[in-house]
Structures are given as structure tokens and as C-alpha cells.
């Protein structure tokens, strides 16, 4: 079956399910040269429903091939979010006669009674003998029974070399539980992290991830703990925070003051971020669900709902503000932009520039300098549906994101989708921007990727990327642009 991306909102450079509902990325693992992407999937409707693990693979993180769902719900429960690892040394003993290393997927089995009360969440496992293409649920599931918690989910499993143990991190209400295991099947709890640390809300934390990362330009290693905050993010609703610290195989110690909140993204639509496990060159690539629980079920697409963000490779750097993760679009994409004829010129008050006038994906790579008091409007869709106002103050740059409802949608979407959020960028002479626009989204990676801002926008009347000088003078120190042809228009399905 082939399905063309004729739908006006269906992105051309972002992953979408062939049809039906999608939320979190799950089970991200790199096997035999391919990135496997599993995802929370309900194929029989365009709103959240009994969860499957949808499945796709890609060798370049751009062109995806759809595969049949990896896990489907049954009497043992729905298949909520989780992770996957390669069991290189057969720690589980499940792959004695296997031809290639086995793959283990950890997911939350959720059994929900039909009377509308909360489901019971427990951790289960499935395994694959053919490199991640077909899966069997483990007979002795669950591997971790519910300890009496309403929210006990989203297991992320990693190998911890120093202690020679497997580690699992799990959402436990508004904290993260740390567990360890020698055989990937029996787990013991070692610690809990999160009480009074980072951003909290009344809703549970979700979808943790944990990984080591070397500080650029040094031999020092830090540990990063990623945590989804279902409500109360920087821009409102769901968002993804991270902690930098140390992990000794048993507990995580935050390097920052407990009240410090670090956001992987400052937009409305970057949630449940996870990173690929077992990537050959050790790089850390994250992908997130490009939506927000506040309105995800009601955005105006029809036979599919939700896209993933662009994958982002991350590095840890010492910035003026302290240790920070910096993001960039994957090198596998080989994005090339061309110098725009206006590069090196200036825009004065009232002048504007249109970078493209077609309705397709595009990449901007630019450095601007604004005189104090100057204002630049960036309109990725060439209209008012989503605009960024950049303003240079005495203390640095301020970026205000204004989003309005541009197309019809359901009532709750009408109430919650609009936003007006200001982000302060630390003092810096230049504003450095890499932006990716697609049919219903805009992702900005600002100041070398220290500040990322991802927002959806649904407007059927778009006219191309526009830059307008509203006030003062904007120097376009360098301006590069590339209209990407629809690189992902054909979605193959097995
Ligand atoms: C996060 C989440 C997870 C859960 C899944 C259910 O978006 O709520 O905590 O496992 O979605 O689909």
C-alpha cells in the first residue's frame, strides 16, 4: 500500500502515522544500520484509544518505512510507553540459540476496567529474535507488579557499564523510580528522584530517559535525566524538562539547585522526548511527540493525528548560563542551505523579505543583529497564524511567540491552542537561528541550539517564510535558506 501526502497538513519532513492516532515515541533502538521508531498508536480512530506500539524504520531519520504494529493490546493490557535495548550479551538468557543479538522491549501494561476507573499499570517485557521486526510478549509478565501507585509507567532501560547492571527508570507519580537488574527480568528498586526538584504540576511526570554524555571539549561525563511534565511546562501544558547530574548505578544527584528548571524546548509542542539506544557512534539523538495533551485530540487533521518532531542530536556544553544541552538537526539529513541574495544587507523599519512563496518545507540558517529597541517579525507561514517577534532590549533578545487559531477545530482546541509566550535569551550580540518549517509546524533552534521552540500551526492559507523589520534596523549578517522539496511524500507500508 502506498499513501500520498496529499493532505494539506500532513508534514513532508516529519514522521506521521499512516492513519489513526499517535502519541509518544517508544522503544527507540538502532539495529543493523536502521533506526527503529515505535510509537503510541491507536489505528482504529483519530483520538487516543487502546494503545498499540506502531512501528517504522529509517536509515537516515528522514524517510520512514511503516511496518505492522510491534505490540498490540490483549487480555494482559494495553501497551503504554516504554523503551528497547539490544541484549548484546544475552543477559536475559532468552536468546541462547539466536542468530543475532536479541532485542528487549519494556512497556507499561495497563489493564483498565470498563467502569471508567483508573487502570492498573505494571511493567512488562517483549522480546525479538529477528532484530526488532517481530515480537513475543514474555510469558511471566509483568516483570514489575504495581506497588500501589496510580501512575507507575514508561520504563526506560539502559546498560550501566560502571556497575555492570541494567537500569530502569520509571514514572512514579511526580517522581522517578530507579531500579537495577542483572538479567533484565527481575528488578530491585535502588532510589527515587524528583521530590521538590525541577518543574512540578498536579499531573504526573511521564516518559523519563537517562543517559551519560560527555561534556564537549573535555573528558568529563555527566548524566542527563529527561522528564515529561504533563502540565505546567514553560509555554503551557505538556513539556519536556531535563536534569544534569551524576548517576552511580543506584541514584541520581542533580548538579543544579533543585529549583532550576531546564527545558529541552520552550514551545507548546515538544513532549515525551526519548533518545535512541545503541546508536553505533554513541551519538545522542532525541525525538519527541510534536503535540500537547491540552489539545492533541482535537487538532484539525482528519485521518491521522500527530507528528513527531524532527530528530535532534544533542551535545552537552558549558554556556554562559551553565551546563546546557544543545540541539541540532541530524547530520544524517545533510541539510544544505544556499546563501540568500539579501545576506549581508539590512532591513529597515517597514521593510520585509519573503524567503519562499510555496507551501512546502524549508530550512533557514541565519544570524541577525538588531540594534537596541529594534524588532523583527518572523512569520514562518507568511501570515499571522504563528509569528515570532524578536526584540532587542538592553539585556539581550526577547522572543515572543504568538499563535492564533487559524482553522476550524473542536471546542477545546479553540480554547487552548492560542498562545502568547515570551522567552528571554541571555545577553548576546547576535541572534543565531536554525529553523525548520513544515506543513503544520515550525521548529526554531536558537543560539546554537541552546533554546529550541517548537510549535504547531494549522492554516490552509500560507504564503511562505517572511521576515519583517517592525522597528529600528535588523542586520541580516548571514542568511541562508533552502526550500526542501517534499522529501517524505510516499509512506510505504508493509
Ligand atoms: C505520555 C503518556 C504516557 C503513557 C502514554 C499513554 O504522553 O501519558 O505516560 O504511557 O502517554 O498513551
Amino acid at each position: 500500500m502506498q499513501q500520498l501526502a496529499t493532505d494539506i497538513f500532513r508534514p513532508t519532513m516529519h514522521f506521521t502515522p499512516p492513519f489513526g492516532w499517535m502519541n509518544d515515541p517508544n522503544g527507540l533502538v538502532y539495529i543493523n544500520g536502521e533506526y527503529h521508531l515505535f510509537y503510541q498508536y491507536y489505528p482504529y480512530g483519530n483520538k487516543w484509544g487502546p494503545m498499540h506500539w506502531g512501528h517504522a524504520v529509517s536509515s537516515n531519520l528522514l524517510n520512514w518505512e511503516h511496518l505492522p504494529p510491534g505490540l498490540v493490546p490483549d487480555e494482559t493490557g494495553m501497551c503504554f510507553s516504554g523503551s528497547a535495548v539490544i541484549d548484546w550479551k544475552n543477559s536475559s538468557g532468552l536468546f541462547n540459540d539466536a542468530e543475532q543479538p536479541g532485542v528487549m522491549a519494556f512497556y507499561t501494561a495497563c489493564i483498565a476496567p470498563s467502569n471508567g476507573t483508573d487502570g492498573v499499570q505494571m511493567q512488562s517485557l517483549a522480546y525479538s529474535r529477528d532484530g526488532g521486526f517481530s515480537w513475543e510478549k514474555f510469558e511471566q509478565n509483568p516483570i514489575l507488579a504495581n506497588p500501589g501507585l496510580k501512575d507507575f509507567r514508561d520504563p526506560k532501560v539502559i546498560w550501566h557499564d560502571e556497575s555492570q547492571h541494567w537500569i530502569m527508570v520509571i514514572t512514579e507519580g511526580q517522581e522517578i523510580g530507579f531500579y537495577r537488574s542483572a538479567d533484565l527480568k527481575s528488578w530491585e528498586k535502588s532510589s527515587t528522584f524528583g521530590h521538590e526538584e525541577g518543574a512540578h504540576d498536579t499531573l504526573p511526570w511521564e516518559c523519563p530517559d537517562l543517559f551519560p554524555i560527555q561534556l564537549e571539549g573535555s573528558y568529563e561525563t555527566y548524566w542527563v535525566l529527561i522528564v515529561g511534565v504533563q502540565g505546567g511546562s514553560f509555554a503551557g501544558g505538556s513539556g519536556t524538562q531535563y536534569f544534569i547530574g551524576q548517576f552511580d548505578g543506584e541514584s541520581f544527584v542533580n548538579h543544579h539547585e533543585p529549583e532550576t528548571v531546564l527545558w529541552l524546548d520552550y514551545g507548546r509542542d515538544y513532549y515525551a522526548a526519548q533518545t535512541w539506544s545503541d546508536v553505533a557512534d554513541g551519538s545522542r539523538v532525541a525525538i519527541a511527540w510534536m503535540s500537547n495533551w491540552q489539545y492533541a485530540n482535537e487538532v484539525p487533521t482528519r485521518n491521522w493525528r500527530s507528528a513527531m518532531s524532527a530528530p535532534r542530536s544533542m551535545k552537552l556544553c558549558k554556556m554562559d548560563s551553565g551546563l546546557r544541552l544543545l540541539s541540532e538537526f541530524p547530520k544524517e539529513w545533510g541539510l544544505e542551505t544556499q546563501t540568500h541574495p539579501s545576506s549581508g544587507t539590512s532591513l529597515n523599519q517597514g521593510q520585509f523579505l519573503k524567503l519562499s512563496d510555496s507551501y512546502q518545507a524549508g530550512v533557514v540558517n541565519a544570524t541577525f543583529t538588531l540594534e537596541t529597541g529594534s524588532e523583527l517579525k518572523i512569520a514562518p507561514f507568511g501570515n499571522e497564524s504563528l509569528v515570532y517577534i524578536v526584540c532587542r532590549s538592553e539585556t539581550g533578545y526577547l522572543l515572543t511567540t504568538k499563535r492564533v487559531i487559524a482553522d476550524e477545530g473542536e471546542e477545546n482546541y479553540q480554547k487552548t491552542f492560542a498562545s502568547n509566550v515570551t522567552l528571554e535569551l541571555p545577553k548576546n550580540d547576535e541572534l543565531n537561528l536554525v529553523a525548520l518549517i513544515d506543513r503544520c509546524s515550525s521548529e526554531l533552534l536558537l543560539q546554537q541550539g541552546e533554546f529550541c521552540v517548537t510549535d504547531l500551526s494549522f492554516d490552509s492559507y500560507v504564503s511562505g517564510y517572511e521576515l519583517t523589520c517592525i522597528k529600528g534596523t535588523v542586520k541580516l549578517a548571514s542568511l541562508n535558506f533552502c526550500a526542501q522539496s517534499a522529501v517524505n511524500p510516499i509512506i510505504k507500508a508493509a
Side-chain angles (χ1 to χ4, degrees):
M1 182 192 85
Q2 288 192 334
Q3 184 176 330
L4 296 176
T6 48
D7 174 341
I8 54 162
F9 294 135
R10 168 102 63 181
T12 68
M13 290 187 70
H14 292 81
F15 179 80
T16 46
F19 44 79
W21 162 271
M22 173 177 82
N23 55 291
D24 320 346
N26 296 155
L28 305 181
V29 59
Y30 182 81
I31 309 168
N32 301 332
E34 286 188 311
Y35 293 89
H36 286 249
L37 166 65
F38 296 89
Y39 53 90
Q40 289 287 277
Y41 187 34
Y42 182 57
Y44 307 114
N46 65 3
K47 289 189 195 288
W48 191 91
M51 283 288 113
H52 300 52
W53 274 31
H55 189 192
V57 286
S58 168
S59 55
N60 62 2
L61 292 166
L62 186 58
N63 302 99
W64 294 95
E65 182 175 348
H66 285 287
L67 297 168
L71 300 176
V72 297
D74 56 22
E75 68 290 348
T76 61
M78 295 181 273
C79 305
F80 278 15
S81 286
S83 58
V85 285
I86 301 181
D87 184 7
W88 291 106
K89 296 183 189 160
N90 191 21
S91 316
S92 64
L94 290 170
F95 308 108
N96 290 334
D97 50 358
E99 281 170 14
Q100 58 174 312
V103 193
M104 306 281 274
F106 298 83
Y107 63 98
T108 298
C110 178
I111 300 182
S114 52
N115 63 8
T117 53
D118 287 326
V120 179
Q121 301 177 356
M122 57 209 123
Q123 313 323 321
S124 287
L125 91 77
Y127 56 98
S128 167
R129 294 170 172 276
D130 62 357
F133 291 97
S134 63
W135 295 86
E136 261 176 72
K137 290 184 180 169
F138 185 50
E139 275 184 2
Q140 283 117 52
N141 277 336
I143 50 164
L144 258 185
N146 189 294
L149 292 168
K150 178 171 166 295
D151 302 296
F152 180 61
R153 58 178 180 267
D154 308 341
K156 169 77 185 195
V157 171
I158 61 162
W159 170 249
H160 185 249
D161 210 34
E162 293 75 5
S163 67
Q164 294 284 301
H165 270 82
W166 294 96
I167 309 296
M168 183 189 283
V169 284
I170 316 177
T171 286
E172 296 185 347
Q174 287 197 34
E175 293 184 318
I176 302 301
F178 287 75
Y179 292 74
R180 48 187 234 143
S181 169
D183 65 2
L184 288 162
K185 293 178 295 193
S186 55
W187 295 85
E188 63 172 33
K189 187 159 187 186
S190 50
S191 66
T192 306
F193 171 84
H195 182 60
E196 294 184 349
E197 304 260 3
H200 287 266
D201 180 60
T202 51
L203 298 168
W205 279 5
E206 297 182 314
C207 302
D209 194 353
L210 177 73
F211 54 87
I213 191 164
Q214 199 169 323
L215 176 64
E216 288 290 300
S218 88
Y219 292 108
E220 279 176 81
T221 298
Y222 286 83
W223 284 78
V224 172
L225 177 66
I226 291 182
V227 175
V229 187
Q230 204 189 124
S233 73
F234 178 82
S238 320
T240 309
Q241 65 175 329
Y242 67 97
F243 299 90
I244 298 171
Q246 290 303 341
F247 176 67
D248 62 1
E250 297 198 5
S251 45
F252 179 84
V253 179
N254 188 0
H255 171 89
H256 290 98
E257 295 301 315
E259 59 278 8
T260 306
V261 184
L262 305 176
W263 296 107
L264 262 191
D265 195 287
Y266 293 83
R268 294 288 298 281
D269 299 294
Y270 193 85
Y271 192 54
Q274 291 281 297
T275 65
W276 266 276
S277 159
D278 297 287
V279 178
D281 66 359
S283 60
R284 251 323 127 183
V285 184
I287 193 166
W289 176 43
M290 195 158 57
S291 198
N292 189 316
W293 279 118
Q294 281 188 336
Y295 44 71
N297 276 283
E298 288 118 40
V299 296
T301 62
R302 292 214 167 82
N303 50 9
W304 60 279
R305 260 209 183 105
S306 299
M308 291 298 172
S309 72
R312 294 178 193 167
S313 67
M314 298 190 298
K315 55 185 182 187
L316 181 68
C317 295
K318 210 166 251 167
M319 308 302 284
D320 290 345
S321 23
L323 291 178
R324 294 291 184 273
L325 283 179
L326 270 50
S327 302
E328 56 188 7
F329 296 124
K331 55 180 178 320
E332 285 87 341
W333 279 17
L335 286 180
E336 279 180 22
T337 49
Q338 278 108 41
T339 306
H340 191 272
S342 299
S343 183
T345 65
S346 292
L347 289 179
N348 295 318
Q349 188 157 332
Q351 290 185 312
F352 78 99
L353 194 64
K354 202 185 254 298
L355 297 185
S356 75
D357 44 25
S358 58
Y359 184 18
Q360 60 184 346
V363 178
V364 182
N365 188 337
T367 302
F368 304 136
T369 5
L370 275 67
E371 281 168 13
T372 304
S374 300
E375 273 181 38
L376 167 72
K377 179 167 93 172
I378 303 174
F381 298 100
N383 58 32
E384 298 299 308
S385 58
L386 175 68
V387 296
Y388 307 100
I389 309 289
V390 180
C391 144
R392 175 84 192 263
S393 71
E394 295 292 343
T395 55
Y397 287 98
L398 296 174
L399 177 95
T400 301
T401 306
K402 294 184 186 206
R403 182 169 75 176
V404 296
I405 312 257
D407 267 65
E408 307 254 310
E410 294 177 32
E411 200 189 332
N412 176 61
Y413 161 78
Q414 294 277 345
K415 282 197 198 124
T416 54
F417 192 72
S419 57
N420 189 342
V421 187
T422 298
L423 167 66
E424 210 177 320
L425 307 171
K427 193 159 176 51
N428 205 321
D429 286 344
E430 293 178 337
L431 181 81
N432 166 261
L433 162 85
V434 177
L436 172 65
I437 176 164
D438 205 337
R439 287 175 165 173
C440 65
S441 64
S442 161
E443 284 161 279
L444 306 183
L445 311 187
L446 296 154
Q447 311 305 52
Q448 275 71 42
E450 183 181 350
F451 299 91
C452 302
V453 183
T454 301
D455 289 289
L456 292 170
S457 174
F458 298 95
D459 193 329
S460 17
Y461 306 98
V462 299
S463 64
Y465 221 98
E466 261 182 36
L467 304 172
T468 308
C469 176
I470 303 180
K471 226 194 243 177
T473 304
V474 177
K475 182 156 195 302
L476 310 170
S478 73
L479 179 61
N480 303 283
F481 178 75
C482 181
Q484 302 285 321
S485 52
V487 292
N488 209 10
I490 294 177
I491 300 166
K492 285 199 276 171

